[in-house]
């Protein structure tokens, strides 16, 4: 259990409208994902840390892919052309030609595209993920799902980072 309020979205967002609270929660986990990469070299970011090959940079690539899928594609917006097939788990690993900068920039673009959808649509807006046979979901459901997805993988990143260099924690010590 975390007892510190450091890293929380701030008092004003704790009482904001539902959409703002959900978006702030997602952003907090997104920021932790990027924070877990700080100070590591390319080898450490790519180092497989589990028998399945999970590594920090692969998790960022995956999160970018699912942000595009759930927020952008599901709500009928244009997704940038992907150089990999996310339906065959190619989004979980990075190849030697995929630089750290490329993956982080990809995540930034996916976040920005998702943020546009979140800003423009109401929480009850219906979307239809093509990979789910067009079953309707609301933006609210997608926001909650992506908070869960991002938090889950941020937790994986907590463990991987601790195994790499001993750094631990769920937020910056300075409260950013």
């Amino acid at each position: 259990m975390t007892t510190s309020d450091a890293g929380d979205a701030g008092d004003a967002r704790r009482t904001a409208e539902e959409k703002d609270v959900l978006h702030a929660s997602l952003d907090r986990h997104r920021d932790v994902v990027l924070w877990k990469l700080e100070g590591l070299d390319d080898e450490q970011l790519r180092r497989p840390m589990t028998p399945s090959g999970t590594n920090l940079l692969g998790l960022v690539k995956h999160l970018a892919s699912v942000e595009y899928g759930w927020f952008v594609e599901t709500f009928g917006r244009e997704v940038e052309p992907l150089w990999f097939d996310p339906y065959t788990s190619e989004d979980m690993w990075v190849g030697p030609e995929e630089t750290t900068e490329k993956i982080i920039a990809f995540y930034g673009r996916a976040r920005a595209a998702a943020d546009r959808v979140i800003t423009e649509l109401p929480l009850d807006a219906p979307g239809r993920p093509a990979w789910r046979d067009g079953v309707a979901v609301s933006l609210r459901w997608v926001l909650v799902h992506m908070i869960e997805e991002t938090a889950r993988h941020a937790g994986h990143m907590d463990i991987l980072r601790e195994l790499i260099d001993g750094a631990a924690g769920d937020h910056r010590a300075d409260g950013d």
Side-chain angles (χ1 to χ4, degrees), residues 58-115:
L59 287 169
V60 176
K61 182 180 175 185
H62 170 70
L63 286 168
S65 172
V66 296
E67 289 249 1
Y68 267 128
W70 278 110
F71 285 114
V72 181
E73 184 180 346
T74 293
F75 292 95
R77 309 297 171 88
E78 180 119 6
V79 175
E80 72 175 83
L82 303 179
W83 65 93
F84 58 88
D85 183 355
Y87 299 109
T88 60
S89 297
E90 288 180 21
D91 64 339
M92 293 297 292
W93 296 277
V94 291
E97 74 288 351
E98 296 175 294
T99 66
T100 297
E101 294 76 20
K102 179 178 182 172
I103 300 302
I104 292 172
F106 176 53
Y107 188 51
R109 291 189 307 275
R111 282 180 67 168
D115 286 346

Side-chain angles (χ1 to χ4, degrees), residues 2-173:
T2 302
T3 57
S4 169
D5 286 337
D8 282 347
D11 289 335
R13 290 194 184 155
R14 291 183 192 139
T15 57
E17 294 295 320
E18 179 184 10
K19 186 186 207 182
D20 295 330
V21 170
L22 292 171
H23 198 178
S25 179
L26 178 60
D27 272 342
R28 180 172 187 272
H29 294 298
R30 288 166 158 178
D31 292 344
V32 168
V33 163
L34 294 174
W35 172 56
K36 290 296 173 177
L37 306 179
E38 289 180 11
L40 297 178
D41 64 29
D42 197 56
E43 184 278 326
Q44 292 168 315
L45 293 171
R46 296 167 177 275
R47 185 184 303 164
M49 299 300 296
T50 66
S52 65
T54 302
N55 64 71
L56 291 169
L57 205 53
L59 287 169
V60 176
K61 182 180 175 185
H62 170 70
L63 286 168
S65 172
V66 296
E67 289 249 1
Y68 267 128
W70 278 110
F71 285 114
V72 181
E73 184 180 346
T74 293
F75 292 95
R77 309 297 171 88
E78 180 119 6
V79 175
E80 72 175 83
L82 303 179
W83 65 93
F84 58 88
D85 183 355
Y87 299 109
T88 60
S89 297
E90 288 180 21
D91 64 339
M92 293 297 292
W93 296 277
V94 291
E97 74 288 351
E98 296 175 294
T99 66
T100 297
E101 294 76 20
K102 179 178 182 172
I103 300 302
I104 292 172
F106 176 53
Y107 188 51
R109 291 189 307 275
R111 282 180 67 168
D115 286 346
R116 284 190 295 277
V117 172
I118 294 166
T119 299
E120 293 170 4
L121 296 178
L123 285 174
D124 59 351
R128 297 195 181 280
W131 63 93
R132 296 277 173 114
D133 294 324
V135 174
V137 294
S138 68
L139 178 60
R140 177 183 290 103
W141 186 92
V142 172
L143 268 163
V144 170
H145 174 72
M146 286 305 301
I147 291 166
E148 293 169 343
E149 175 94 5
T150 306
R152 179 173 188 244
H153 290 311
H156 294 144
M157 294 176 81
D158 287 338
I159 294 165
L160 298 183
R161 180 65 190 253
E162 186 173 359
L163 289 170
I164 290 169
D165 69 355
D170 67 352
H171 62 273
R172 293 177 193 271

